[in-house]
Amino acid sequence: MYKWELDSAARTRKASVRDAWEQITPEWLFLGSFAALILIGALGLRFVPFFYAGENRPLGIVDALFTATSAVCVTGLIVVDTATYFSIWGKLWLLLLIQVGGLGIITFTTVLIAAMGGRPSLRQEAITSGTREAVPTIDYRGLTRHVILFTLGFELIGFLVLAALWVPRFGPIRGVGHAAFHSVSAFCNAGFSTFSDSMVRFQTWPLTLVTIMGLIVVGGLGFLTLEEMYTFVKARRARRGFRMSLHSKIVLVMTALLVLSGWLFFALLEWGNTLSGMSTGAKLINALFMSVTPRTAGFNNINYVQATVGANFLTILLMFIGGAPGSTAGGLKVTTVALPGLLAWSRIRGQGVTSFLKRTVPEETIQRAVGLIVLGFALVTGCILLVVISEGSSPDRFLDYMFESVSAFDTVGLSRDTTPGLGAFGKLVMVVLMFLGRVGLPTVASALTVAAYRPLGEFRYAQEDVVIG
């Protein structure tokens, strides 16, 4: 065969690969990046023996997949004790998966390209700046850089504070190691801990609890809101006007409302139960921690098996809501839950449109929020049913499986000591919930949507009403 024929065949193959690559939508690229990272993490946990301490054997394939998914999806559910089962190298492997999964693999890749002097692709820009219309005040080209700066900055602050608190108790090496791990895990809302009892031992350490809570809240606000807050501060210093978007205002209002109301109810429900025996100040701090950690953080300062049914159900509700869009937190997101509430309030007042803080929310956005809540509820309910059937346990375990399923879907990591006892099928159900909860139902729905061919343009069928209520 002539050389020019070989070159032509090579060019044809390259063109075919390029065409196939360009056919991948941003949504499928995002899903594929997380799936690939989970697979890499699972293979490492399955086949690298020095990831394990002492005589501990590598995890089986299901447990390795579960643990890798939990780390990449910043959930925190565990099948073995992270503190004792993994070596320092295994913990570093988990920390790497948490950090990359928390930031988002696409954001991480974009930063690497920018650091090497390259330019992010249009596909990457489509993923990282898909909220341009909702938050138009943000410079999206600089947002990715600020994501890294915010992440490393807050994690560094958390590390320094925790190291100052823990080095005197655990020694320089262990204290620094614990501080670094928990700073990353808390900001990324991962919930993994190098302590077997998570934060229970720190019930009387208010500064430790406050530091962890601060990292959780900041990580759960979302990078869009953090960017707007940063821009707002700069504008105030320069004495320039700046109007924060409705998105960020709702995030801040809902975050404060959920944390404060949860604080009150947890204090009332657990004051004489899991918080008994503590001083008044310690009870208040621990009740506040119980309100913050369901925002998909997953650190526990009490044993939820011993908590009241009311406290467990309140935790489930807070876990289901989660944090803010564009954050390291999971859940339905505070804005998604807020919009149907604003819709109901507007209708009660006789308003035909949904308004908040002198701004009207588009009807299409309201419909998407309602649809997302319905999809999320249906998915979690179906998975709870599958787990209950597969485990075949007594009726008194229903709360455990409900708690575990919501924790998995909303990437929280809180548990009623149920995870290690699940069968292989139950763990795989949790893997699916963690993955879908991390990448988000809108992304999955968009990836699966196939545009229908409509030669006559947009149309609708004849309208007919339905009786409700």
Side-chain angles (χ1 to χ4, degrees):
M1 184 179 292
Y2 293 106
K3 184 178 183 303
W4 67 269
E5 292 177 319
L6 292 173
D7 293 340
S8 177
R11 285 195 298 270
T12 301
R13 286 194 298 271
K14 289 181 180 179
S16 299
V17 172
R18 184 173 62 252
D19 291 342
W21 172 252
E22 291 176 351
Q23 291 299 316
I24 301 176
T25 64
E27 292 81 8
W28 277 111
L29 181 62
F30 184 73
L31 295 175
S33 65
F34 269 94
L37 184 59
I38 289 171
L39 179 60
I40 293 171
L43 291 175
L45 292 173
R46 178 67 184 91
F47 294 110
V48 181
F50 60 82
F51 280 174
Y52 300 90
E55 300 298 322
N56 293 329
R57 302 181 63 182
L59 297 174
I61 187 62
V62 173
D63 287 343
L65 177 63
F66 185 100
T67 304
T69 305
S70 184
V72 172
C73 297
V74 290
T75 304
L77 292 175
I78 55 175
V79 293
V80 294
D81 183 10
T82 306
T84 59
Y85 204 85
F86 294 101
S87 67
I88 181 63
W89 299 108
K91 293 171 185 175
L92 288 174
W93 182 247
L94 291 176
L95 192 64
L96 177 63
L97 296 177
I98 291 169
Q99 185 72 90
V100 179
L103 289 177
I105 187 67
I106 296 297
T107 301
F108 192 76
T109 303
T110 301
V111 171
L112 290 180
I113 293 174
M116 293 184 294
R119 182 181 182 279
S121 66
L122 293 177
R123 183 180 292 119
Q124 289 169 322
E125 289 184 0
I127 294 175
T128 57
S129 61
T131 54
R132 190 182 303 275
E133 294 182 2
V135 193
T137 58
I138 290 179
D139 175 15
Y140 283 87
R141 291 184 179 274
L143 177 61
T144 303
R145 182 179 68 256
H146 286 172
V147 165
I148 299 299
L149 293 177
F150 288 145
T151 300
L152 297 181
F154 284 113
E155 287 177 353
L156 177 61
I157 293 172
F159 163 72
L160 293 175
V161 175
L162 292 176
L165 295 170
W166 291 351
V167 166
R169 174 171 180 175
F170 301 109
I173 296 178
R174 293 182 61 204
V176 167
H178 288 315
F181 191 97
H182 285 81
S183 179
V184 174
S185 184
F187 182 81
C188 291
N189 282 210
F192 278 88
S193 176
T194 50
F195 299 113
S196 298
D197 59 355
S198 192
M199 293 289 110
V200 175
R201 68 181 64 192
F202 298 110
Q203 288 179 337
T204 57
W205 288 49
L207 290 180
T208 292
L209 296 181
V210 169
T211 302
I212 297 294
M213 282 190 288
L215 290 168
I216 293 170
V217 171
V218 173
L221 286 177
F223 295 112
L224 298 175
T225 301
L226 291 177
E227 179 75 5
E228 280 212 293
M229 293 173 66
Y230 172 72
T231 306
F232 175 77
V233 171
K234 287 202 308 181
R236 289 292 298 270
R237 288 180 177 177
R239 297 186 177 180
R240 291 186 286 103
F242 177 79
R243 190 191 74 82
M244 188 172 289
S245 68
L246 181 63
H247 163 84
S248 294
K249 291 177 181 178
I250 292 178
V251 167
L252 293 173
V253 170
M254 282 293 292
T255 298
L257 179 63
L258 291 172
V259 169
L260 293 177
S261 59
W263 186 14
L264 172 63
F265 282 107
F266 278 121
L268 292 175
L269 291 168
E270 294 299 316
W271 194 269
N273 187 37
T274 56
L275 301 181
S276 63
M278 303 181 190
S279 65
T280 301
K283 287 182 178 180
L284 292 174
I285 290 293
N286 280 271
L288 179 60
F289 192 93
M290 292 173 65
S291 179
V292 170
T293 196
R295 305 294 309 285
T296 83
F299 294 103
N300 60 288
N301 61 324
I302 65 164
N303 185 343
Y304 282 88
V305 176
Q306 300 173 355
T308 62
V309 174
N312 275 282
F313 188 68
L314 178 58
T315 302
I316 290 174
L317 293 178
L318 292 176
M319 289 194 298
F320 200 58
I321 295 172
S327 72
T328 56
L332 287 177
K333 305 297 189 296
V334 291
T335 50
T336 303
V337 175
L339 292 183
L342 292 175
L343 171 64
W345 179 243
S346 297
R347 295 297 182 268
I348 290 174
R349 293 185 297 167
Q351 296 180 345
V353 295
T354 303
S355 303
F356 184 65
L357 298 177
K358 299 181 179 180
R359 287 293 184 273
T360 297
V361 182
E363 188 66 26
E364 181 184 354
T365 303
I366 301 291
Q367 293 175 0
R368 288 202 305 268
V370 173
L372 184 58
I373 292 175
V374 173
L375 284 175
F377 179 80
L379 175 65
V380 173
T381 302
C383 288
I384 293 173
L385 178 61
L386 290 176
V387 172
V388 169
I389 294 174
S390 67
E391 295 301 316
S393 299
S394 57
D396 58 0
R397 295 299 306 275
F398 177 76
L399 178 62
D400 297 340
Y401 298 138
M402 183 181 186
F403 194 99
E404 202 83 1
S405 298
V406 174
S407 181
F409 175 69
D410 298 295
T411 68
V412 181
L414 292 177
S415 177
R416 287 173 52 86
D417 299 332
T418 306
T419 308
L422 290 175
F425 182 80
K427 290 176 182 176
L428 291 177
V429 171
M430 296 300 167
V431 166
V432 173
L433 283 173
M434 288 188 287
F435 181 79
L436 294 179
R438 179 66 183 99
V439 299
L441 290 180
T443 303
V444 177
S446 179
L448 296 177
T449 299
V450 178
Y453 178 62
R454 295 179 178 178
L456 299 179
E458 294 292 331
F459 70 97
R460 66 175 178 84
Y461 295 105
Q463 181 172 293
E464 184 173 346
D465 208 350
V466 176
V467 178
I468 61 173

